[in-house]
Amino acid sequence: MFLWNSIERNHFLIRVYKNFLKLVGITRDKTSRYLFRLFQAAAYIILGIFLIDISSIYFGNAAFGQFGDFFGGVANPILTFLTFMGLIMTIIIQKKELALTRREMRDSSDALRQQVINQDKQRFEGTFFSLLAEHNRILNNITYYPENYSEKSMVAIARSALIGGFYLSRENDESIHEKKEKLLISYEPINQYFRVLYQILKFVASNCPSSTVKYSCSRSLLKETNSSKEEKMYTSIVRSFLSEDIYYLLLINCFCESEDDKFFKYKLLVERYAFFEHFDPYRKDVIRMVSKLLESYDNKAFGDKG
């Protein structure tokens, strides 16, 4: 009989506890359980006072009145203390729930920020690879070798005309500036290619998600900051398509005698992305013109070799 009563009592407490949780809510720690124990203690004390009052009425003993006054004087502070503790625990629960809410909002904000970053990167790469496809199309036109290999490509002809066999020590030879003017005027398809290449480098500097000059790409920032690893990765993809002839012509195209030159920003971009890092102009006889061209570029343009 006692075992049955114990089981019934446990079932009753479980039902009460479930209803209590529906009322106050479930916390991720043991706070709701502690509140329930406070509720139990208060309920037992109230029940005890109620039974004592009933007994005093039944037995009619004046001593019960004195005991009731004493017990009431003791129980009231206890109940007040339990109420105060319950209030404090409720505040603690609210504080913890507020902290969890803030954490979830922060996580949600971080996820949203990462989503925006991914979308920016996708948009950037979509435009970048479209520009790269146009770059490769134009590059193929100026570097294409016909089936008859005795014929030369346009860049090979231009390189031979502007660089091949040229010595600054010769009299009446053209200056580098004059060679550059001839390149700009006489070889329009090559100049179109260099314009596309410039736009790609400028686009990477201005729009790459991790760019250190993003949205500005000013001359001062290009000189004062280094490229990020992500910028270098994209420009290295572009650089991988360049031939030796293109390198020589690019040296002339971006040659600047002063910062007032309209090609100076182009030169800064070439230096920023170490465009001549894998270019070896000394594989053949050193030409004095090439030496002077190399001296006009910052060491950054040659990467680890600078």
Side-chain angles (χ1 to χ4, degrees), residues 232 239 270-279 297-306:
K232 189 71 182 299
R239 191 182 62 193
V270 168
E271 293 172 344
R272 177 181 180 84
Y273 298 123
F275 238 62
F276 301 116
E277 184 175 5
H278 301 298
F279 171 54
Y297 288 86
D298 190 273
N299 287 337
K300 293 192 301 182
F302 307 97
D304 296 334
K305 298 185 298 182

Side-chain angles (χ1 to χ4, degrees), residues 103-159:
R103 184 181 304 171
E104 290 174 356
M105 290 179 64
R106 184 171 60 251
D107 293 341
S108 177
S109 177
D110 292 341
L112 183 60
R113 188 179 300 110
Q114 186 60 45
Q115 183 179 357
V116 171
I117 292 174
N118 292 337
Q119 290 176 348
D120 287 343
K121 186 174 182 180
Q122 289 175 359
R123 285 194 294 267
F124 166 77
E125 289 189 342
T127 305
F128 170 78
F129 286 110
S130 295
L131 288 172
L132 185 63
E134 180 65 14
H135 165 275
N136 291 342
R137 184 188 67 80
I138 299 174
L139 181 64
N140 184 64
N141 290 337
I142 62 176
T143 59
Y144 173 72
Y145 281 84
E147 293 182 2
N148 182 0
Y149 282 89
S150 62
E151 299 182 34
K152 294 183 178 180
S153 66
M154 182 177 295
V155 291
I157 295 172
R159 181 267 180 100

Side-chain angles (χ1 to χ4, degrees), residues 7 18 44 57 90 110-111 123 138 142 159 182 191 198 217 238 257 269:
I7 294 174
K18 288 181 178 179
Y44 289 147
I57 295 173
T90 301
D110 292 341
R123 285 194 294 267
I138 299 174
I142 62 176
R159 181 267 180 100
K182 183 177 289 186
N191 290 317
Y198 171 74
C217 197
V238 179
E257 294 179 322
L269 288 168

Side-chain angles (χ1 to χ4, degrees), residues 194-205:
F194 283 139
R195 288 194 294 271
V196 171
L197 178 60
Y198 171 74
Q199 292 301 326
I200 292 177
L201 299 184
K202 184 180 177 183
F203 175 76
V204 172

